[in-house]
Amino acid sequence: MAATIILLLSLLIVKIGDAEQQVLLKLKNPRLMNCRFDKIYQFGDSISDTGNCIRESLCEAQFWCKRPPYGMDFYKHVTGRCSNGMLIIDFIAMECDLPLLNPYKDENAEFRHGVNFAVAGSTAISAEFLAENNIDNIGATNSSLSVQLDWMSSHFHTTCSPNCPEKLNNSLFLVGEIGGNEFNFGFLQGKTIEESRKIVPEVVQTIIHAVKRTIDFGATRIIVPGNFPIGCIPFFLTKFMTNNSTAYDEHHCLKDLNNFVIFYNRYLQQAIDELKNDYPNITLIYGDYYNAFMWLLENAVSLACCGIGGEYNYNVHISCGDPMVPVCVDPNTHISWDGIHFTQNAYSWLARWLIDDMLPKLNCQV
């Protein structure tokens, strides 16, 4: 089965390797077109940032996604996306038969079909809360979820107020994926699993508060994604490599890290279910990024494509984008792009799995 999936991935990219052809191919049968979304609003971090970080001075200065080979399969130039090409949000937009979302920080951009507020390195909780819990904000941005919500508020006050509920009635909101970096930062700074569990309620409540703010403006269909299984990511596999074979599961992922993510995701799901009781007329959907990734992991190569050295082709001291770091021959057969983020092809398949999972819950016309 693995060989079959890899072949399919390759054929997909061969067909749509040129970005313009990609849009045309996707528009032939957009699976979310019956949902009749006319706008999409995205909050998040580097999983969905399409160009905000590179427009923040501090973030841009430390941003490795700003240089080649990032963007090599997206019009052959860097856009601020942390991949060789497109992201999940790009594929969702095309499946809605909408243009790709422009980043909020692009002052010359057009926002008739939505806005991308996501910033690479961002957290759900504030830098102040991180500091109170002795976690340094190493993400090179202070544009946490609350800041992104303030951007949303400013945008809506100038574009749809006072009729936002009417104008946003056919919009899709994605609140996340966000709420992973604070845990990543903590683990890298020596925080234990138990210490990280203690801040899960605060992270989740911050995300739920964000969902409520979007509802207050008029959002009626909202996706709230969980986190990926970080124990399967080359960066963490390299950083926390051990000779203890019992630390790994059958997929050679680190069990403790994945079990933590499962704990977090369940907490988030429970909070979403409770919120549904308060808003019975709002469509709230949990985005199951964890199981989407595990499905893909069983069917493709997980080594980093753009990397060097080590068991996972990843080196914590030298990143993708450095002249000394090579790129694999065929990114289409890899899940991981740079040891942390995924390839365009992986994002394409993740988006496909997620749409298949969420479509019946979106209350779209058939």
Side-chain angles (χ1 to χ4, degrees):
M1 184 176 180
T4 302
I5 292 294
I6 291 173
L7 177 61
L8 288 172
L9 295 176
S10 299
L11 288 174
L12 178 65
I13 295 298
V14 167
K15 284 183 179 180
I16 61 176
D18 180 82
E20 293 181 6
Q21 291 179 338
Q22 200 156 34
V23 175
L24 291 173
L25 178 67
K26 286 291 182 180
L27 292 181
K28 287 181 180 178
N29 186 28
R31 286 173 296 155
L32 292 176
M33 191 154 72
N34 287 339
C35 298
R36 299 184 179 179
F37 295 122
D38 57 8
K39 303 177 190 70
I40 303 175
Y41 297 97
Q42 170 80 63
F43 305 86
D45 54 26
S46 61
I47 298 299
S48 45
D49 184 356
T50 57
N52 284 314
C53 179
I54 60 172
R55 291 175 171 85
E56 288 188 355
S57 56
L58 177 61
C59 195
E60 189 273 340
Q62 303 182 44
F63 194 42
W64 61 88
C65 302
K66 68 181 179 181
R67 57 195 179 195
Y70 289 90
M72 59 181 279
D73 294 312
F74 187 93
Y75 292 100
K76 303 294 183 183
H77 77 266
V78 173
T79 62
R81 290 168 171 81
C82 289
S83 179
N84 60 309
M86 294 189 293
L87 312 178
I88 290 175
I89 183 56
D90 295 318
F91 289 106
I92 288 177
M94 287 194 293
E95 293 288 8
C96 292
D97 202 23
L98 292 174
L100 305 188
L101 293 188
N102 287 317
Y104 175 76
K105 287 284 190 175
D106 186 350
E107 297 177 353
N108 299 315
E110 187 272 315
F111 298 120
R112 283 184 302 162
H113 297 287
V115 185
N116 192 328
F117 300 106
V119 184
S122 65
T123 55
I125 55 180
S126 66
E128 291 77 15
F129 185 88
L130 288 174
E132 290 171 7
N133 286 269
N134 299 313
I135 300 174
D136 292 333
N137 179 13
I138 57 177
T141 180
N142 289 318
S143 299
S144 62
L145 184 53
S146 65
V147 173
Q148 295 177 30
L149 288 167
D150 288 342
W151 294 346
M152 174 197 72
S153 180
S154 297
H155 176 73
F156 287 158
H157 279 305
T158 59
T159 58
C160 69
S161 182
N163 301 314
C164 289
E166 178 183 346
K167 293 182 179 180
L168 297 176
N169 188 52
N170 294 319
S171 298
L172 175 65
F173 285 74
L174 290 96
V175 183
E177 175 270 340
I178 195 166
N181 280 330
E182 39 268 84
F183 303 119
N184 299 343
F185 299 163
F187 291 141
L188 294 176
Q189 293 168 44
K191 294 294 182 182
T192 65
I193 297 289
E194 286 306 312
E195 287 175 314
S196 297
R197 282 190 176 210
K198 291 178 181 178
I199 67 171
V200 165
E202 182 69 23
V203 173
V204 170
Q205 284 308 307
T206 301
I207 294 171
I208 295 301
H209 171 72
V211 173
K212 290 180 179 178
R213 281 192 65 180
T214 66
I215 293 173
D216 289 342
F217 270 102
T220 59
R221 285 184 281 184
I222 308 162
I223 296 170
V224 187
N227 283 339
F228 290 109
I230 62 174
C232 303
I233 306 298
F235 173 84
F236 287 100
L237 285 166
T238 301
K239 189 71 177 178
F240 299 109
M241 186 182 296
T242 175
N243 291 323
N244 180 6
S245 61
T246 63
Y248 300 93
D249 64 14
E250 67 273 21
H251 304 291
H252 200 72
C253 299
L254 290 163
K255 290 190 288 189
D256 285 349
L257 289 178
N258 279 0
N259 285 337
F260 169 78
V261 175
I262 290 171
F263 170 82
Y264 167 83
N265 285 344
R266 285 176 177 168
Y267 204 102
L268 178 62
Q269 286 176 273
Q270 182 178 348
I272 294 170
D273 289 339
E274 292 172 357
L275 195 60
K276 288 179 181 178
N277 295 328
D278 297 332
Y279 297 94
N281 297 320
I282 302 297
T283 301
L284 291 167
I285 299 173
Y286 170 73
D288 195 355
Y289 281 22
Y290 189 102
N291 282 313
F293 181 90
M294 293 308 295
W295 170 82
L296 186 59
L297 182 62
E298 295 176 356
N299 298 293
V301 179
S302 60
L303 300 180
C305 168
C306 182
I308 186 170
E311 187 173 343
Y312 307 100
N313 198 39
Y314 182 81
N315 187 319
V316 296
H317 302 296
I318 183 168
S319 302
C320 179
D322 187 286
M324 295 181 62
V325 177
V327 179
C328 65
V329 174
D330 187 5
N332 306 331
T333 59
H334 288 250
I335 294 178
S336 180
W337 165 243
D338 58 7
I340 300 174
H341 308 98
F342 308 140
T343 62
Q344 171 177 266
N345 216 17
Y347 282 131
S348 169
W349 283 89
L350 289 169
R352 177 178 299 193
W353 190 99
L354 290 164
I355 290 170
D356 287 343
D357 182 60
M358 296 185 297
L359 186 56
K361 310 168 191 175
L362 278 170
N363 297 325
C364 304
Q365 297 180 8
V366 178

